[in-house]
């Protein structure tokens, strides 16, 4: 095996260690030609790196930095040897370990890559590859691309029908653009104190538009909350259980950071009436200033929910009123129990009645 083009052109790579399936020179050449003039600076991530030939070829062709992730110790040693042979060791780091864990760490460190190679051993199931792919969006720089290499005639279709797939002899290569990772995840944030049928309607409609919706439960600064963020999240999980592409999480910090960490390109909110507009406009503009790459979008509330709000529910339940029209049936009891008798007048009335 040799480096095909660039500063290390012609360099012979170390023998392939047992158990590693290298990308043949011929396939590598066609693949890099198909990627075109893409290698001016920037960082490359080579996952399941094997001999490191893909990442090293990218460095040789002009990329600035490379991170190689490889679990197999002998393969990791081969990558280091190949970096030495090509005199590219100063531009590279080799992470020895599991791809999923390495991705988590790279994400925590806010790393971004212009090119990501994913060349998993053929024995790895498509579901694992999908799992790794679903975490790559956040690691991709704005013009980034992901290249996935797979064995002969894979039956599975990755990420639906997206990407451009080419066949090189017995190898199938799919190239994904960044937008194919970013735009299909939306974050639906709110205090959800408590979740109403109006919120649920917005989440349900969003789940029909996006590949995945993350409901982010914020509002940690609510004073004297009747339900903790974790409790509110559990209630949302209960009422969205039938929506496979909806997950629920507690959000601790800034919304744009939460969105970025989840690989979401969209913050999605429900808009009820003109009275919502000022505050939503302000939040959308603040979030856009904080991160111009995360877009805020709105779904208009259904007419029958346009009057409904969590604060109205808290007030009505607080006075012991009937909120069954406003709260999903599965969680009604819990909500009534948590919020009933919380209004000062209701407390007084309860005390007076119990005295009498
Ligand atoms: O249901 P709410 O009360 O309108 O939800 C408000 C929420 C949770 C969306 C908002 O407070 C929020 O985004 N909190 C995270 C902190 C943050 O990012 N603040 C800056 C943008 S306004």
């Amino acid at each position: 095996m040799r480096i095909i083009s660039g500063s290390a052109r012609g360099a012979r790579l170390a023998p392939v260690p047992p158990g590693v399936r290298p990308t043949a020179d011929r396939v590598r050449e066609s693949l890099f030609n198909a990627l075109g003039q893409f290698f001016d600076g920037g960082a490359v991530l080579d996952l399941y790196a094997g001999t490191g030939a893909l990442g090293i070829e990218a460095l040789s062709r002009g990329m600035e930095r490379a991170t190689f992730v490889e679990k197999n110790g002998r393969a990791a040693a081969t990558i280091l040897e190949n970096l030495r042979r090509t005199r590219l060791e100063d531009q590279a780091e080799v992470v020895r370990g599991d791809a999923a864990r390495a991705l988590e760490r790279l994400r925590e460190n806010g790393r971004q890559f212009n090119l990501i190679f994913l060349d998993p051993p053929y024995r790895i199931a498509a579901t694992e590859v999908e799992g790794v792919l679903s975490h790559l969006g956040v690691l991709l720089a704005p013009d980034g691309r992901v290249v996935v290499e797979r064995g002969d005639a894979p039956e599975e279709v990755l990420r639906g029908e997206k990407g451009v797939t080419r066949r090189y002899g017995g190898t199938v290569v799919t190239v994904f653009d960044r937008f194919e990772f970013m735009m299909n995840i939306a974050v639906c944030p709110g205090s959800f104190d408590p979740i109403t049928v109006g919120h649920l309607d917005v989440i349900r409609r969003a789940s029909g538009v996006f590949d995945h919706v993350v409901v982010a439960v914020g509002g940690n600064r609510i004073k004297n909350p009747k339900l903790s963020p974790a409790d509110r999240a559990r209630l949302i999980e209960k009422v969205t259980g039938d929506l496979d592409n909806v997950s629920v999480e507690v959000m601790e910090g800034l919304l744009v950071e939460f969105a970025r960490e989840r690989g979401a390109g969209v913050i999605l909110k429900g808009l009820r009436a003109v009275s919502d507009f000022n505050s939503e406009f302000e939040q959308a503009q603040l979030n856009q200033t904080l991160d111009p790459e995360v877009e805020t979008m709105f779904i208009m509330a259904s007419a029958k929910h346009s009057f409904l709000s969590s604060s109205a529910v808290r007030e009505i339940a607080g006075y012991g009123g009937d909120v069954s029209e406003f709260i999903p049936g599965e969680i009604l009891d819990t909500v009534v129990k948590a919020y009933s008798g919380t209004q000062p007048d209701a407390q007084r009335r309860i005390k007076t009645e119990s005295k009498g």
Side-chain angles (χ1 to χ4, degrees):
M1 282 176 67
R2 285 176 187 278
I3 293 302
I4 297 149
S5 183
S7 65
R9 182 174 168 198
R12 189 181 281 278
L13 299 179
V16 177
V20 171
R21 172 186 48 81
T23 306
D25 287 359
R26 190 170 39 83
V27 176
R28 218 165 354 111
E29 182 163 12
S30 312
L31 165 60
F32 276 82
N33 288 343
L35 283 170
Q37 300 299 315
F38 189 58
F39 305 99
D40 201 7
V44 55
L45 173 63
D46 192 349
L47 292 166
Y48 304 98
T51 60
L54 287 171
I56 292 173
E57 183 76 41
L59 282 178
S60 172
R61 288 177 187 236
M63 293 198 82
E64 210 170 294
R65 301 265 340 140
T67 301
F68 298 87
V69 178
E70 176 55 57
K71 202 171 174 179
N72 176 326
R74 286 183 70 179
T78 304
I79 298 169
L80 287 169
E81 167 63 16
N82 286 335
L83 285 165
R84 202 185 50 74
R85 287 183 180 208
T86 50
R87 299 178 201 279
L88 291 164
E89 64 262 61
D90 291 346
Q91 291 168 250
E93 61 177 331
V94 179
V95 178
R96 197 183 150 196
D98 186 65
R101 214 161 306 148
L103 287 181
E104 205 177 306
R105 215 162 315 130
L106 291 168
R107 210 172 57 197
E108 280 165 12
N109 293 337
R111 297 284 297 275
Q112 293 248 290
F113 296 91
N114 305 80
L115 187 59
I116 300 180
F117 289 115
L118 190 67
D119 182 11
Y122 291 166
R123 68 190 140 72
I124 287 191
T127 46
E128 183 178 329
V129 178
E130 275 288 355
V132 170
L133 279 173
S134 69
H135 287 96
L136 296 186
V138 69
L139 293 172
L140 271 181
D143 60 347
R145 281 188 235 172
V146 175
V147 179
V148 184
E149 188 183 324
R150 288 170 294 157
D152 194 14
E155 288 183 1
E156 78 279 4
V157 178
L158 296 176
R159 298 187 76 78
E161 293 289 342
K162 291 177 180 163
V164 176
T165 296
R166 291 192 183 84
R167 172 182 288 281
Y168 303 104
T171 308
V172 176
V173 175
T174 307
V175 180
F176 297 97
D177 279 330
R178 186 184 188 241
F179 72 88
E180 289 166 319
F181 283 83
M182 290 304 281
M183 280 308 287
N184 51 12
I185 302 175
V187 170
C188 228
S191 303
F192 303 105
D193 184 31
I195 183 167
T196 66
V197 289
H199 291 130
L200 187 55
D201 179 52
V202 168
I203 295 167
R204 196 175 285 284
R205 286 159 61 203
S207 84
V209 176
F210 292 89
D211 290 345
H212 191 84
V213 174
V214 186
V215 180
V217 182
N220 295 351
R221 297 206 203 144
I222 296 173
K223 284 186 192 140
N224 307 320
K226 299 300 162 213
L227 291 170
S228 69
D231 286 339
R232 281 180 264 141
R234 261 189 292 275
L235 292 185
I236 303 170
E237 264 168 6
K238 205 163 175 183
V239 298
T240 55
D242 63 322
L243 302 171
D244 288 344
N245 62 343
V246 172
S247 56
V248 186
E249 290 182 53
V250 170
M251 171 173 65
E252 306 281 354
L254 283 179
L255 175 55
V256 287
E257 279 172 13
F258 181 92
R260 195 170 252 280
E261 282 165 13
R262 296 331 176 257
V266 171
I267 292 169
L268 189 84
K269 299 192 100 180
L271 201 58
R272 285 164 307 183
V274 183
S275 52
D276 277 349
F277 185 78
N278 275 353
S279 143
E280 292 299 346
F281 191 50
E282 191 181 304
Q283 288 183 54
Q285 290 195 325
L286 283 171
N287 286 327
Q288 196 195 37
T289 309
L290 291 171
D291 189 341
E293 281 184 27
V294 180
E295 204 64 73
T296 300
M297 293 179 155
F298 294 95
I299 284 188
M300 297 303 150
S302 307
K304 61 181 176 196
H305 300 135
S306 60
F307 60 90
L308 179 55
S309 66
S310 295
S311 58
V313 167
R314 288 196 303 273
E315 185 163 320
I316 297 169
Y319 284 115
D322 179 7
V323 290
S324 57
E325 291 277 307
F326 314 134
I327 298 295
E330 308 94 293
I331 60 168
L332 181 62
D333 282 352
T334 316
V335 168
V336 167
K337 220 172 274 169
Y339 295 90
S340 67
T342 53
Q343 291 297 330
D345 285 355
Q347 297 278 13
R348 217 176 301 134
R349 207 178 59 219
I350 290 165
K351 273 187 200 151
T352 321
E353 279 168 8
S354 61
K355 269 185 203 158

